Amino acid sequence: MIGLFLDVLDFALPILIMIFVGLVGTSVLVELGLMQKFSKLVSPIFAYTNLPETCASAFVVAIGSSVAANSMLSQAKNENCLNDREVLLCSMMNATPAYFRELFTYQIPIVLPALGLAVGGFYTFVFIVTAVFKILVIAVASKLFLKGDSCRAPETRSKEKVSLKTALKRAFKKESRIFLKIAGVYLIATTIIFILQEQGAFEIFSVLPLAELFKIPPETIIPLTSYVASPILGISLLGPMIHSGEITNVQAMIVLMLGSMFMLPIFAIRSQLPRKVAIFGTRLGVQIVAYSTAMSIFVRLVILLLLLNVAS
């Protein structure tokens, strides 16, 4: 039990630090009156949506950290600046910059060398398509479900100039109680996920039946199963098979799509769900994770069907 608790702390502490920095940092920006200025930097992206100005400000923060950006949305929701629908769409929008960050931290340095230009380029293309698809869906949903007249990015409560030291003091005092509540929920949720993992609850996501259904080569079962547990490991095992000619490029692409379709729910439950529940609460957190994961799986399913058509 002690070992489990230490594993939870090792996993959760870096995230909790990011959440705390996000809460305090956002509060400091509000106290200094900088939030509205930041939102103008990305106004062209939001010009054709009904997403509120606060969402644009959070999007800027999300370029550096989606956790910090979501903490900012949580604060705005607690101040009755955003309703649930706005938070849901804004939070999913906050996730999209990560796709483009990964081009330089994951796709180019790891995926392309491991899988080669054809398969690696395809895998990178899937990431970009997923991000664009999500942005388009969010934009359309905002037009359908949002009025577009929500409150603006928060301003300072007073007109006098506030020093950085004063802003920090106010931010710490204001956000400490909120952070403790979020940290408690996050640690409980993460502990539950780790216990379920130890009990083998995630083994229901077995890729073997689906692999047999799509008749992929038997030698790809190991990299496919490995990918579900660790995409980097799966890619590392799949790469030599591609370069040696054991499997074709199309077969490798099918394996990647199958693996990612099964990996995404596990990643969502283990990593995303505790964060979102801790920041936004159970109902809204689950909705955000479910919708975002469903969109990612849908893109891969469509591409998988196209690949199967090519393979046949």
Side-chain angles (χ1 to χ4, degrees), residues 88-89 91-96 99 130-131 133-134 137-138 264-265 267-268 272 276 284-300:
L88 190 151
L89 293 177
S91 178
M92 288 195 294
M93 180 67 88
N94 284 346
T96 56
Y99 287 94
T130 303
F133 175 74
K134 285 188 175 182
V137 170
I138 293 166
L264 283 169
F267 174 76
Q272 295 296 318
K276 297 297 191 297
L284 189 55
V286 170
Q287 286 180 342
I288 292 169
V289 172
Y291 288 140
S292 182
T293 304
M295 283 194 284
S296 297
I297 292 175
F298 175 77
V299 171
R300 285 156 176 77

Side-chain angles (χ1 to χ4, degrees), residues 12 18 34 37 63 71 98 115 130 143 156 175 177 179 183 188 224 234 237 246 250 263 291 301 306:
M18 293 175 65
L34 298 176
K37 295 179 181 180
I63 295 173
S71 299
L115 298 179
T130 303
K143 286 290 188 181
T156 53
E175 305 302 336
R177 184 178 298 177
F179 171 74
I188 292 171
L224 174 58
L237 294 173
E246 291 182 60
V250 173
M263 177 273 297
Y291 288 140
L301 178 60
L306 292 174

Side-chain angles (χ1 to χ4, degrees), residues 145-160:
F145 302 114
L146 302 183
K147 297 179 180 179
D149 56 355
S150 181
C151 61
R152 292 175 172 272
E155 299 180 8
T156 53
R157 287 183 170 77
S158 58
K159 297 297 183 181
E160 78 274 7

